[in-house]
Amino acid sequence: MKPLLVRGGRVIDASQNIDRVGDLLIVDRRIARLGTAATGDEPWTVLNARGMVVSPGFVDLHCHLREPGFEDKETIASGTRAAARGGFTTVCCMPNTKPPIDTQGVVQFVEKKTAAEGVVRVLPVGCITTGRHGKELVNIAELAEAGVVALSDDGDWVADPHVMRQALQESQPFGLFLSDHCQDVSLSAGGVMNEGKLSLELGLKGIPAAAEEVAVSRDIELAQETGGRLHIAHVSTAGSVELIRRGKREGVAVTAEVTPHHLTMTDEMVTGYDTNAKMYPPLRTAADVEALSKALDEGVIDAIATDHAPHTRADKLCDFDVAAFGISVLETALGSVLTLVHAGSLGLVTLLSKLTQEPAAILGRGDIGTLKPGACADVTIFDPEAEWTVDPSLFASKGKNTPLAGQHFKGKVMATICGGQVVHRDGAVRLETAYHKTGAGID
Ligand SMILES: [Zn+2]
């Protein structure tokens, strides 16, 4: 492969405190150097990134690729293409598949499928309990050896405190964290949206903030007691933020993620009974949204994760009460979160660290989420000012289920490079050959 030069973009890399215009050189699937390229006699592939931001490839701690078992909703092939379009070069796939990812064999299936059909890095998450039944721990040693990066019964909370305590203890020797879907079903059962004034007006059964907060509270206590690594998935309430803040202050090994939708939308989206606005946790109030974005800025919440949850049309083309939970997010994530930057409530450098360096740190990976020389050549190039309109029919994802259809966004992914390969390129971005000097050709 010829060296690839990403020329003249605004390079932002939180892991090195870099924010400056320059050229980024990729050689042999690795980041080689950042600097200014000099002309010479060796042919390089050049991607002109003038006016664009050049970031480490985005890392998603939480998405649903649905394979094996739910290929009508998404596959590793379609989901990784959606990821590439959204600027994500690494995605952690959740284990609520059929069969669930609770044995080495299923981990290997995901890995083989990714190698054959995927276009970005896929890191499998294994179950906490066998069959996600919440009763017996999986064979953690077996899953760790197979290469899972975390454990989660996502879609369900591990309701039995004894089992969760065991998981927090027994995951430690393997360096795995637990991604915790916090939902006490005795409080949320039958609920379809945030419990509040609006759920009463709409006549829909609510899910109280407490359904999440009692779960967050219990598991932070258990993490404190055991010393296990706890990661709170898709935080949605101001109360959860305060519990996490307190846990961190007391030295608990707790991290947290928030989705683009919980950062930018409120339960008002449910007015009109749009089933595409139905998700778990539900969209909350304006006060929650504000607390989440502040928590992100302050570092109480570490990362932005998509919780990309594609569904078929039939899953959503029904009454609100019976519609599936979840929305298709990978291709709208950047547009959504950039609204915070354009509104002045979050800095661009901070935002990008939540999509790159911070999730990579949670995964314990120093070779992704960074543009350091030697790192994987995973690069996302976006135009922060380019305007576009969300059209789900153009999604690479099979999941067209988004409440953002027709929404105008400012900020568009123009090219995505994974392991040195261009895996997504907007029509406006051209690749050219230009002659440069090898060796000391860039400094
Ligand atoms: Zn979940």
Side-chain angles (χ1 to χ4, degrees), residues 200-271:
L200 281 174
E201 275 172 33
L202 296 173
L204 292 172
K205 184 154 182 347
I207 299 168
E212 175 172 313
E213 291 158 6
V214 298
V216 172
S217 173
R218 184 202 76 177
D219 289 344
I220 289 178
E221 287 294 320
L222 291 174
Q224 181 157 38
E225 187 229 351
T226 57
R229 280 184 65 203
L230 181 69
H231 176 74
I232 308 293
H234 42 57
V235 176
S236 77
T237 77
S240 295
V241 166
E242 288 317 304
L243 291 164
I244 295 159
R245 188 194 304 280
R246 197 195 311 155
K248 285 193 165 185
R249 204 188 293 138
E250 292 173 4
V252 182
V254 59
T255 53
E257 70 188 29
V258 61
T259 70
H261 33 293
H262 289 103
L263 278 171
T264 54
M265 291 184 233
T266 69
D267 56 356
E268 292 285 339
M269 292 296 285
V270 177
T271 315

Side-chain angles (χ1 to χ4, degrees), residues 1-345:
M1 222 190 323
K2 274 188 286 188
L4 171 62
L5 184 73
V6 178
R7 188 157 64 194
R10 176 183 169 192
V11 180
I12 300 181
D13 179 7
S15 76
Q16 305 181 82
N17 261 318
I18 286 173
D19 179 3
R20 65 181 153 96
V21 172
D23 301 336
L24 183 72
L25 180 64
I26 293 166
V27 181
D28 292 335
R29 310 171 72 82
R30 301 266 159 194
I31 302 289
R33 257 169 296 176
L34 170 67
T36 308
T39 50
D41 53 10
E42 181 169 321
W44 290 1
T45 304
V46 175
L47 191 159
N48 186 355
R50 280 196 182 87
M52 299 179 202
V53 171
V54 177
S55 163
F58 301 159
V59 178
D60 187 5
L61 291 172
H62 190 146
C63 82
H64 298 271
L65 297 181
R66 304 298 193 203
E67 196 173 1
F70 302 102
E71 289 83 356
D72 52 340
K73 294 176 192 279
E74 193 77 290
T75 60
I76 287 168
S78 63
T80 56
R81 277 163 184 80
R85 286 194 186 202
F88 292 89
T89 50
T90 299
V91 295
C92 301
C93 64
M94 285 292 154
N96 53 343
T97 48
K98 201 164 86 184
I101 307 178
D102 63 355
T103 60
Q104 204 158 36
V106 188
V107 178
Q108 283 162 354
F109 170 85
V110 170
E111 285 169 347
K112 274 189 203 139
K113 251 323 211 218
T114 302
E117 295 169 17
V119 298
V120 303
R121 238 170 275 289
V122 173
L123 306 178
V125 176
C127 296
I128 295 174
T129 65
T130 304
R132 298 176 57 256
H133 299 311
K135 303 275 186 256
E136 263 171 67
L137 285 193
V138 292
N139 184 333
I140 299 179
E142 178 190 312
L143 289 185
E145 195 195 302
V148 301
V149 293
L151 301 175
S152 178
D153 272 4
D154 189 51
D156 290 297
W157 186 47
V158 178
D160 184 331
H162 172 67
V163 175
M164 190 62 179
R165 183 166 181 254
Q166 260 187 318
L168 282 161
Q169 280 163 340
E170 293 185 21
S171 54
Q172 288 177 48
F174 304 99
L176 297 175
F177 65 91
L178 302 188
S179 178
D180 195 6
H181 172 110
C182 290
Q183 172 181 16
D184 187 329
V185 285
S186 58
L187 289 168
S188 68
V192 294
M193 70 171 291
N194 180 52
E195 182 179 285
K197 196 168 146 275
L198 197 60
S199 63
L200 281 174
E201 275 172 33
L202 296 173
L204 292 172
K205 184 154 182 347
I207 299 168
E212 175 172 313
E213 291 158 6
V214 298
V216 172
S217 173
R218 184 202 76 177
D219 289 344
I220 289 178
E221 287 294 320
L222 291 174
Q224 181 157 38
E225 187 229 351
T226 57
R229 280 184 65 203
L230 181 69
H231 176 74
I232 308 293
H234 42 57
V235 176
S236 77
T237 77
S240 295
V241 166
E242 288 317 304
L243 291 164
I244 295 159
R245 188 194 304 280
R246 197 195 311 155
K248 285 193 165 185
R249 204 188 293 138
E250 292 173 4
V252 182
V254 59
T255 53
E257 70 188 29
V258 61
T259 70
H261 33 293
H262 289 103
L263 278 171
T264 54
M265 291 184 233
T266 69
D267 56 356
E268 292 285 339
M269 292 296 285
V270 177
T271 315
Y273 304 94
D274 178 3
T275 56
N276 286 323
K278 182 178 175 183
M279 62 202 73
Y280 194 87
L283 296 171
R284 303 286 190 184
T285 67
D288 293 306
V289 169
E290 205 191 311
L292 292 169
S293 113
K294 199 160 156 266
L296 194 65
D297 195 29
E298 292 170 344
V300 174
I301 294 177
D302 303 86
I304 294 168
T306 66
D307 194 11
H308 174 73
H311 287 293
T312 65
R313 263 173 68 79
D315 294 330
K316 289 287 195 180
L317 207 62
C318 52
D319 280 347
F320 199 89
D321 278 334
V322 295
F325 287 94
I327 74 174
S328 185
V329 184
L330 286 168
E331 289 161 87
T332 55
L334 181 69
S336 286
V337 293
L338 278 175
T339 61
L340 299 171
V341 174
H342 293 309
S345 52

